RNA sequence: GCUGGCGUAGCUCAACUGGUAGAGCAGCUGAUUUGUAAUCAGCAGGUUAGGGGUUCAAGUCCCUUCGCCAGCUCCA
């Protein structure tokens, strides 16, 4: 048979050769690292004998599919160990997930995380035995008989669905353990040396809250001890950077508790961070051709009935009655912007019209989903709405994408673009006609293509009123977060009958783009805190400079320095407490203050200061002017776009 | 919302099977006049989240409300 490789070269092999043998033919290293193969675009086990001509791709841990196979295989290994230690355990499902895998079980009397050691020991034993994973195809009836005999009721439920879908049935076994599984798997349990069990949690069978709750065990597995270790230390680091912890330590904000779950109280230091972010945002938006507006926090319910949000999101809104009317706390800002747009008859000469507002919105989030600043019930959307003609769509979208990337670049976030499309299987969820959707989705794709930005399309992620471009931002630990979102909307302009008069004197339908770059100011600050581990860049640092006179005899000089820095718009304070210098430096360091200016007798005599920079350490004495210059550079606000 | 866990001083945590709520840091007062990550001493700080119950006796056991944490479902 003739086998083609990804580089387009080809080679003859005897029929019945396996992917593993082909990998070994290429190099021993590849054979060692290979996990599964893609043969004629189908994923299969390395040990599967191949008989036909075709193209092959050997997949390792570097490939997403290879990683998945390794992780999924490990979930089988764990399931086997759990079932062995806790007879009577029924199996749910055990997929690979980003960064690991899990398996859902119904375990009678599971004692919890304390028994991880026992499970790990059993898994290690099986890794050592290096038992092969064996695939077996069988008829539906055979499979039912097999799992009935084992009492695996969940598997029987899954089987029913596979029958309805007309899929062929395969099972994988290693040793005594058998599981219904599509595969592929790595060749044997010996591949699974570098695993760790991480946590346990409850999870509904099939993710449905009406079903019974199973025990889910999370774990992860890597191809090498170094990669496993790196991942585990990343998890540790993430814990240290938790914005809730840092927010409390740095006295940035309070959230929940007596103040009400999901509600944020910004402390003075946190308010400075907010203000800086918001001020820069405002300046940048004005420069980019936006007009700032401001709209109320409540609005009559009729507005949300017209927009369609009442029908879609009523359960997540807060209502109040005023006089004889019903009002709602705004869950979004755009109706206010629509009212502003409709304030007068609009001409094509005014378009594109870009309105922007840092608007606080309130959404009822279920109590269990609240999470620090990342998920709250009241938050500030840095909202912008662009009203434009059809011809302007592509250019406006591109401008917004560039603007969004400008913001991410300020903070050194990486990014990944997703184009969220409608789900053609579920047209009822979306407002508007499918052909309109198709047209607009193509326009968004065109906008990205022209810019040369890579993106991936995600079907079914669109908002009900239109497709969107989501930019996920990547932080210093490599984690992705919800970032800027650019939502096209051809629906709401119709509902609100938004028009403009064209140069032909006729009224035309206007098009609308919703966009947020920080997303939520609250969540964005949460992201920044974790991204920078609390060491915010100078311009955002609540306290930028602390001045430390060594004794009270240098207090006068310190006050002089303070007044110079204050006049230069630097946030500084003197710490002249009756404590040792070491004590006060320690406090400034733990408060993550970027700059410390220490003034002793020597400095007073020579009009200099000793500069110490947070984390870096002592920079020694220098002329005051020189130190001020370093501070000014370190606290400089970002350039406008 | 669901399942599970947790709630002790401003913060971090002690208090064996029910038996007098304690420490460090922070705070306040005083001494010390300090040269690059914690000077010393003293003082004060609590309805053990709220409510109810069992008991001679409850931080500890039971019920309940609230809040927090993890995960699930959800996230315009």
């Amino acid at each position: 048979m003739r086998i083609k490789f990804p580089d387009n070269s080809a080679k003859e092999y005897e029929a019945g050769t396996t992917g593993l043998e082909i990998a070994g033919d290429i190099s021993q290293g590849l054979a060692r690292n290979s996990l599964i193969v893609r043969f004629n675009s189908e994923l299969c086990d390395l040990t599967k004998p191949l008989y036909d001509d075709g193209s092959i791709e050997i997949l390792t841990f570097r490939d997403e599919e290879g990683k998945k196979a390794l992780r999924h295989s490990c979930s089988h290994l764990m399931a086997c160990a759990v079932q062995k230690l806790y007879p009577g355990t029924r199996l749910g499902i055990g997929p690979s997930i980003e960064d690991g895998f899990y398996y859902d079980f119904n375990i009678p009397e599971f004692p919890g995380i304390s028994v991880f050691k026992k499970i790990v020991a059993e898994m290690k034993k099986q890794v050592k035995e290096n038992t092969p994973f064996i695939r077996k195809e069988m008829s539906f009836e055979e499979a039912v008989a097999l799992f009935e005999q084992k009492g695996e009721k969940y598997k029987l439920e899954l089987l029913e669905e596979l029958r309805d879908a007309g899929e062929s049935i395969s099972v994988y076994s290693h040793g005594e353990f058998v599981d219904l599984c599509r595969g592929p798997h790595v060749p044997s349990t010996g591949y699974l040396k570098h695993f760790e069990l991480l946590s346990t949690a409850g999870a509904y069978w099939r993710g449905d809250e009406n079903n019974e709750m199973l025990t889910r065990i999370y774990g992860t597995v890597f191809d090498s001890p170094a990669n496993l270790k790196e991942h585990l230390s990343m998890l540790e680091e993430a814990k240290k950077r938790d914005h809730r912890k840092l927010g409390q330590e740095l006295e940035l904000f309070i959230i929940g508790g007596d103040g009400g779950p999901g509600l944020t109280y910004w402390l003075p230091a946190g308010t400075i961070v907010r203000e800086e972010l918001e001020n820069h945002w405002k300046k940048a938006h004005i420069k980019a051709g936006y007009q700032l507006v401001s709209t109320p926090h409540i609005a009559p319910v009729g507005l949300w009935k017209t927009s369609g949000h009442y029908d879609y999101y009523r359960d997540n809104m807060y209502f109040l009655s005023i006089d004889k009317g019903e009002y709602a706390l705004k869950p979004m800002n755009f109706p206010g912007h629509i009212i502003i747009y409709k304030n007068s008859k609009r001409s094509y000469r005014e378009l594109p019209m870009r309105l922007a507002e840092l608007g606080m919105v309130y959404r009822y989030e279920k109590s269990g989903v609240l999470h620090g600043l990342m998920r709250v019930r009241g938050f500030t959307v840095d909202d912008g709405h662009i009203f434009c003609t059809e011809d302007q769509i592509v250019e406006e979208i591109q401008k917004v994408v560039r603007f969004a990337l400008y913001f991410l670049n300020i903070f050194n976030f990486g990014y990944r673009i997703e184009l969220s499309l409608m789900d053609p299987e579920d047209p009822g969820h979306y407002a508007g006609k499918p052909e309109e959707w198709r047209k607009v989705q193509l326009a968004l794709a065109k906008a990205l293509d022209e810019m040369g930005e890579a993106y991936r399309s995600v079907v079914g992620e669109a908002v009900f009123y239109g497709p969107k471009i989501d930019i996920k931002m990547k932080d210093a630990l490599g984690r992705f977060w919800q970032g800027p979102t650019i939502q096209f909307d051809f629906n709401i302009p119709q509902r609100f009958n938004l028009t403009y008069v064209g140069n032909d004197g006729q009224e035309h339908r206007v098009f609308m783009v919703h966009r947020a770059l920080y997303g939520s100011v609250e969540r964005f600050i949460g992201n920044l805190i974790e991204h920078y581990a609390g060491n915010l860049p100078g311009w955002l640092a609540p306290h930028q400079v602390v001045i430390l006179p060594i004794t009270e005899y240098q207090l006068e000089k310190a006050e002089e320095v303070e007044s110079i820095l204050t006049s230069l718009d630097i946030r500084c304070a003197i710490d002249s407490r009756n404590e040792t210098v070491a004590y006060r430096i320690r406090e400034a360091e733990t408060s993550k203050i970027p700059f410390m200016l220490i003034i002793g007798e020597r400095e007073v005599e020579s009009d200099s200061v000793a500069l110490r920079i947070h984390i870096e350490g002592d920079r020694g004495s220098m002329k005051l002017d020189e130190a001020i210059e370093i501070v000014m550079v370190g606290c400089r606000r970002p350039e406008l776009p």
Side-chain angles (χ1 to χ4, degrees):
Chain A
M1 60 180 178
R2 191 170 173 76
I3 299 292
K4 222 172 111 188
F5 296 100
D7 63 357
N8 270 328
S9 64
K11 196 171 171 185
E12 282 294 331
Y13 287 96
E14 215 167 291
T17 307
T18 66
L20 187 57
E21 286 160 349
I22 294 173
D25 182 48
I26 298 168
S27 85
Q28 282 308 309
L30 184 60
R32 234 185 351 262
N33 290 323
S34 58
L35 298 171
I36 54 168
V37 294
R38 195 196 312 270
F39 185 64
N40 290 335
S41 71
E42 202 176 314
L43 296 172
C44 39
D45 299 333
L46 272 180
T47 48
K48 184 184 180 181
L50 307 173
Y51 294 99
D52 301 318
D53 290 355
S55 57
I56 198 170
E57 214 180 318
I58 314 275
L59 301 177
T60 69
F61 192 75
R62 285 193 193 165
D63 301 289
E64 211 39 50
E65 301 295 347
K67 207 179 265 185
K68 276 186 183 167
L70 186 76
R71 289 180 168 160
H72 178 55
S73 297
C74 201
S75 83
H76 277 219
L77 174 68
M78 178 175 79
C80 174
V82 169
Q83 219 165 26
K84 198 160 178 185
L85 291 167
Y86 302 94
T89 294
R90 298 287 164 253
L91 304 174
I93 54 167
S96 70
I97 51 173
E98 187 162 357
D99 294 335
F101 62 86
Y102 67 78
Y103 213 111
D104 285 348
F105 308 100
N106 184 336
I107 312 177
E109 295 168 34
F110 183 62
I113 199 163
S114 57
V115 297
F116 271 16
K117 264 195 187 144
K118 271 164 74 181
I119 300 172
V120 167
E122 175 59 32
M123 288 169 73
K124 289 218 161 120
K125 199 178 122 209
Q126 293 185 26
V127 169
K128 217 167 187 181
E129 288 163 3
N130 199 15
T131 321
F133 283 101
I134 296 165
R135 179 188 176 95
K136 196 175 165 200
E137 317 241 344
M138 53 177 68
S139 69
F140 176 76
E141 290 71 22
E142 276 178 285
V144 168
L146 174 68
F147 289 108
E148 243 167 22
Q149 177 246 321
K150 291 188 165 289
E152 294 288 1
K153 55 178 177 170
Y154 305 109
K155 295 292 174 189
L156 289 168
E157 212 179 306
L158 294 173
L159 268 172
E160 284 304 319
E161 283 180 26
L162 289 180
R163 177 177 60 179
D164 295 345
E167 289 203 35
S168 64
I169 311 293
S170 60
V171 300
Y172 276 80
S173 60
H174 70 276
E176 303 282 291
F177 181 79
V178 189
D179 196 355
L180 175 68
C181 181
R182 188 174 290 137
H185 277 280
V186 298
S188 65
T189 56
Y191 281 67
L192 305 167
K193 284 191 189 76
H194 315 296
F195 71 87
E196 187 81 65
L197 300 189
L198 296 173
S199 61
T200 158
Y204 303 106
W205 167 235
R206 318 232 66 190
D208 185 336
E209 58 189 9
N210 300 313
N211 287 342
E212 75 187 288
M213 173 97 32
L214 304 179
T215 301
R216 173 171 299 180
I217 301 179
Y218 285 93
T220 193
V221 60
F222 281 82
D223 60 334
S224 72
N227 285 343
L228 174 64
K229 200 177 158 204
E230 190 191 351
H231 180 72
L232 295 178
S233 55
M234 193 276 280
L235 292 180
E236 276 301 303
E237 181 62 25
K239 236 184 248 171
K240 275 188 226 154
R241 291 174 178 227
D242 190 317
H243 72 283
R244 292 168 299 183
K245 185 170 159 259
L246 287 168
Q248 184 196 20
E249 284 169 11
L250 302 176
E251 297 189 62
L252 298 175
F253 54 84
I254 313 169
I255 196 154
D258 290 343
L263 300 174
T264 314
Y265 293 75
W266 291 94
L267 302 173
T271 304
I272 290 171
V273 180
R274 256 193 91 114
E275 291 276 311
E276 284 290 347
L277 284 172
E278 295 189 353
N279 288 339
H280 184 71
W281 183 93
K282 286 178 192 169
K283 281 187 206 154
H285 277 71
I286 290 167
K287 191 166 175 200
Y290 287 77
Q291 304 177 80
L292 301 186
V293 295
S294 181
T295 66
H297 286 214
I298 62 172
V301 156
L303 226 41
W304 279 286
K305 287 191 176 158
T306 308
S307 75
H309 286 83
Y310 186 84
D311 289 337
Y312 281 91
Y313 300 110
R314 182 177 26 197
D315 292 344
N316 298 306
M317 292 166 64
Y318 300 104
F319 295 99
L320 52 162
S321 50
I322 295 172
D323 291 338
K324 290 199 174 92
E326 201 183 0
Y327 283 69
L329 249 57
K330 66 175 170 184
M332 6 188 39
N333 293 303
F334 80 88
H337 295 188
I338 283 177
I339 285 183
I340 289 168
Y341 182 86
K342 288 186 82 162
N343 184 46
S344 70
K345 203 165 181 115
R346 300 297 178 183
S347 149
Y348 73 97
R349 294 173 195 276
E350 292 177 84
L351 305 183
M353 182 174 185
R354 311 183 188 92
L355 301 180
E357 171 178 18
L358 288 154
M360 186 106 186
V361 300
Y362 295 88
R363 298 178 186 176
Y364 169 69
E365 304 282 6
K366 289 180 179 177
S367 60
V369 308
L370 301 173
H371 181 92
L373 291 175
M374 304 304 191
R375 196 81 179 270
V376 287
R377 286 182 173 162
F379 58 97
T380 311
V381 180
D382 65 314
D383 228 331
H385 293 95
I386 300 164
F387 301 90
C388 65
T389 69
E390 189 169 2
D391 294 344
Q392 293 168 334
I393 295 172
V394 169
E395 193 187 337
E396 284 306 304
I397 297 272
Q398 290 177 340
K399 276 188 179 162
V400 179
V401 171
R402 268 185 223 111
F403 200 27
L405 297 180
Y406 156 79
F407 270 95
L408 295 188
N409 189 40
I410 289 175
F411 306 102
N412 291 317
F413 280 118
Y415 67 93
R416 175 175 86 200
I417 300 180
E418 287 178 7
L419 178 57
S420 300
L421 308 173
M422 78 177 291
D423 181 0
E425 308 277 299
D426 182 19
H429 183 71
Y430 306 94
K433 300 191 188 86
E435 56 270 24
E436 289 176 318
W437 275 82
R438 232 185 329 275
K439 194 166 115 185
V440 171
Q441 290 181 168
L442 280 173
L444 293 193
K446 185 182 166 204
L448 290 173
D449 288 336
E450 279 183 10
M451 294 176 73
E453 288 291 345
Y455 60 90
R456 65 179 184 202
S457 300
V458 195
V459 172
E461 286 291 307
V463 190
F464 77 87
Y465 49 70
K468 60 175 176 169
I469 294 170
D470 273 329
I471 305 182
K472 308 285 177 187
M473 48 190 207
K474 187 181 179 186
D475 74 8
L477 295 186
R479 300 173 298 175
F480 280 94
W481 301 93
Q482 173 68 49
T485 175
I486 300 157
Q487 307 180 350
F488 187 82
D489 185 344
F490 52 81
N491 194 262
I492 279 158
Q494 282 172 31
R495 288 169 173 268
F496 283 91
N497 192 25
L498 302 184
T499 58
Y500 67 93
V501 178
N503 64 358
D504 55 2
Q506 303 290 309
E507 293 219 342
H508 298 271
R509 175 80 60 226
V510 77
F511 287 80
M512 190 173 172
V513 175
H514 309 244
R515 37 108 294 166
L517 308 184
Y518 291 148
S520 137
V521 174
E522 285 75 4
R523 189 184 56 212
F524 194 79
I525 293 177
N527 292 146
L528 286 180
I529 292 170
E530 304 207 355
H531 180 54
Y532 288 116
N535 303 307
L536 295 171
W539 69 288
L540 289 176
H543 312 288
Q544 295 172 317
V545 177
V546 61
I547 303 163
L548 303 173
I550 290 180
T551 74
E552 65 192 32
Y553 303 114
Q554 291 86 39
L555 188 55
E556 202 179 319
K557 180 70 181 174
E559 282 166 351
E560 195 187 314
V561 173
E562 183 191 30
S563 93
I564 295 171
L565 287 172
T566 303
S567 73
L568 291 168
D569 200 20
I570 293 293
R571 296 182 285 269
C572 63
I574 298 175
D575 181 359
S576 57
R577 284 176 302 170
N578 186 9
E579 297 287 352
T580 60
V581 179
Y583 177 90
R584 286 176 285 158
I585 283 175
R586 180 186 150 81
E587 192 149 290
E589 289 283 356
T590 56
S591 309
K592 302 181 185 294
I593 296 169
F595 300 101
M596 282 152 261
L597 300 180
I598 295 130
I599 304 175
E601 213 174 324
R602 296 199 293 271
E603 283 75 21
V604 172
E605 280 166 13
S606 58
D607 191 35
S608 49
V609 294
L611 174 67
R612 185 185 166 105
I613 299 180
H614 176 50
I615 299 176
E616 279 180 43
D618 187 11
R619 292 277 293 265
S621 279
M622 60 186 76
K623 284 286 174 201
L624 180 58
D625 290 347
E626 199 184 327
I628 287 176
E629 180 57 25
I630 293 174
V631 168
M632 293 300 288
V633 169
C635 297
R636 188 172 289 157
R637 297 191 175 93
E639 301 281 329
L640 289 170

